[in-house]
Amino acid sequence: MIFRRRRLAKFIGVCLVLLFALIASRNLVAGDVSSDSKRGRIYLVGVGPGDPELITIRAMNVIRGADLIVCWEGMREGFDRELEGKKVIQPPKGVWIWFGYGKKASDFKGKELDKFRRSEKARAQIITQVYRTVTDGKTVAFLSHGDPLIYGPWVWVLKEFKEIKPIVIPGLSSFNAANAALRRGVTSGKGTKSVILTMPDLPGLAKTDTIDKLASHRATMVIFMPFVRHTKLVDLVQRLSAHYPIETPIALVSYAGFKKKEAVIKGTLSNILSKVDHQKLPFETLVYVGDFLN
Ligand SMILES: C[S@@+](CC[C@H](N)C(=O)[O-])C[C@H]1O[C@@H](n2cnc3c(N)ncnc32)[C@H](O)[C@@H]1O
C-alpha cells in the first residue's frame, strides 16, 4: 500500500515538474514574441486632423512606446506632452519630404531639381537614422496628420522600409472632421452618390485625373491642399464652374476638428469669391463642392 502511494506521489511530482516546464517554456516563447514585436519596429501613425482630442488610443500607445519620432516641427504644438523627453527628428523647414521619391535627378530641371536635391538629402538623413534605430532593436514612429494614407507626406516610408514591414495606424482624416463640421451626409447628394477626394493639378506632378475631368461627373468633390504653391481659389472656381451649375454650393472648412478654431465658409460657385480672401485661409483648409450642401 505504502509502496503504491509513494509511486503515485512520485508520478504526480514528475507530472507537475513537466507541467511547470511546459508552462515556463510557453511563457518564454510568448515573452520572446512580445519582446520581438516591440523590437525594431516601424510605425506610420495617423494622429488625426490636429486637435489632440482626435488622436486614437492606439496611436497614443504607439507614440508612448516609440524610441524615435519622425514628424513635422509643427506637430510638437498639439502633442508636446506625448513627445516630451522623446528623441524627435523632423525634415528641415520648407522641404517637401515626399518630393521626387523613387525618381532620379535627371527627371527634374531648374527649381524643381533644387527642390528634389533638398528632399533627397533630407530623406537620406532620416533613412540613415531610422535604420540605425531599428538595427538597435528600437521602435520608430512616423507621425502623419489625419489618416497617413490620404495625401500623406510619409507614404514613401512603406516602400523604403518594405522589408521591415512598417505597421500603419489609421487616423481620423481631416475629411472626416470636415464632414462633421458641415453636418451634411456627404454621400447624399441630390443627383449623385459619390465623393471624389482630390487635389489641384500641380505642374510637374500632372496625373490623368485632372480637376476638369473629375468635375464633369458633378459628384461631390473634396479638394485637399487647395492653396498649395501658386494655386488659387479663383482658378479652382473657374474650372469647377465649367461643369457644375453656377448655383452649386461650395464650402471651405478650415481647421476641421479643432474645438476652438474650426471655421466654415459657405457660398455658391457664383458668389464664393466675393466671400473670401483665400490668401488669409490656412493650409489646413478643405474645399467641398456638391449639391449635398443644399
Ligand atoms: C498633406 S495633406 C494631409 C491630409 C491628411 N493626411 C488627412 O487625412 O487629413 C494636407 C491637407 O489636408 C487638409 N487638412 C489637414 N488638416 C486639416 C484640418 N484640420 N482642417 C481642414 N483641412 C485639413 C488641407 O487641405 C491640407 O492642405
Side-chain angles (χ1 to χ4, degrees):
M1 188 71 172
I2 292 170
F3 182 65
R4 266 201 203 150
R5 270 196 197 150
R6 271 195 195 146
R7 272 193 23 189
L8 186 66
K10 199 173 168 187
F11 176 70
I12 291 172
V14 169
C15 285
L16 282 175
V17 168
L18 284 175
L19 189 67
F20 281 131
L22 187 71
I23 291 171
S25 73
R26 283 188 151 230
N27 279 345
L28 211 67
V29 172
D32 278 354
V33 168
S34 64
S35 65
D36 262 4
S37 67
K38 280 182 194 146
R39 276 164 187 259
R41 288 285 167 106
I42 294 179
Y43 290 88
L44 176 55
V45 185
V47 301
D51 188 298
E53 281 190 11
L54 292 180
I55 189 171
T56 65
I57 294 170
R58 194 181 290 180
M60 286 283 260
N61 287 340
V62 169
I63 294 174
R64 280 194 196 116
D67 301 290
L68 174 66
I69 303 281
V70 190
C71 67
W72 299 107
E73 174 61 31
M75 208 169 264
R76 282 178 189 257
E77 237 178 68
F79 300 97
D80 45 353
R81 251 193 299 160
E82 288 73 21
L83 300 186
E84 203 183 311
K86 297 251 170 225
K87 186 172 179 204
V88 181
I89 54 172
Q90 65 249 340
K93 267 196 179 148
V95 165
W96 289 13
I97 197 66
W98 50 270
F99 186 79
Y101 179 77
K103 296 200 169 176
K104 304 180 293 294
S106 56
D107 295 327
F108 301 93
K109 279 189 204 134
K111 279 187 183 168
E112 301 288 294
L113 180 59
D114 290 345
K115 191 188 292 176
F116 171 75
R117 289 218 165 104
R118 271 182 282 133
S119 309
E120 274 278 279
K121 191 173 161 203
R123 265 198 300 269
Q125 283 167 355
I126 291 173
I127 290 168
T128 307
Q129 292 220 42
V130 169
Y131 270 124
R132 211 173 278 154
T133 309
V134 173
T135 311
D136 282 352
K138 293 184 175 162
T139 303
V140 181
F142 287 85
L143 308 191
S144 193
H145 269 127
D147 183 85
L149 305 184
I150 299 182
Y151 298 116
W154 301 104
V155 169
W156 57 272
V157 159
L158 299 177
K159 262 195 188 165
E160 180 64 38
F161 302 106
K162 203 167 75 192
E163 307 78 57
I164 302 167
K165 295 197 172 74
I167 296 165
V168 181
I169 307 295
L172 188 87
S173 173
S174 55
F175 166 62
N176 303 111
N179 294 344
L182 291 168
R183 286 179 285 135
R184 290 281 188 282
V186 73
T187 48
S188 308
K190 205 168 149 217
T192 61
K193 57 182 169 2
S194 312
V195 184
I196 296 170
L197 305 188
T198 189
M199 62 173 281
D201 307 312
L202 298 180
L205 296 169
K207 307 254 175 167
T208 56
D209 51 347
T210 60
I211 296 271
D212 301 86
K213 274 196 206 159
L214 297 174
S216 67
H217 298 290
R218 294 189 182 179
T220 294
M221 190 139 64
V222 184
I223 297 132
F224 283 70
M225 294 170 277
F227 313 126
V228 73
R229 283 162 97 185
H230 63 285
T231 56
K232 292 190 173 73
L233 189 60
V234 60
D235 178 58
L236 184 62
V237 169
Q238 247 171 29
R239 283 163 187 274
L240 297 174
S241 305
H243 299 278
Y244 290 86
I246 198 76
E247 288 315 312
T248 307
I250 180 166
L252 288 86
V253 187
S254 299
Y255 296 123
F258 283 80
K259 258 189 179 165
K260 291 191 181 146
K261 49 183 184 176
E262 182 176 273
V264 177
I265 302 171
K266 283 187 187 168
T268 61
L269 287 173
S270 63
N271 68 15
I272 193 72
L273 292 174
S274 62
K275 292 190 171 196
V276 290
D277 173 0
H278 85 269
Q279 300 205 341
K280 293 207 174 121
L281 290 171
F283 176 72
E284 291 83 0
T285 298
L286 285 171
V287 174
Y288 281 68
V289 62
D291 61 12
F292 81 100
L293 285 162
N294 267 330

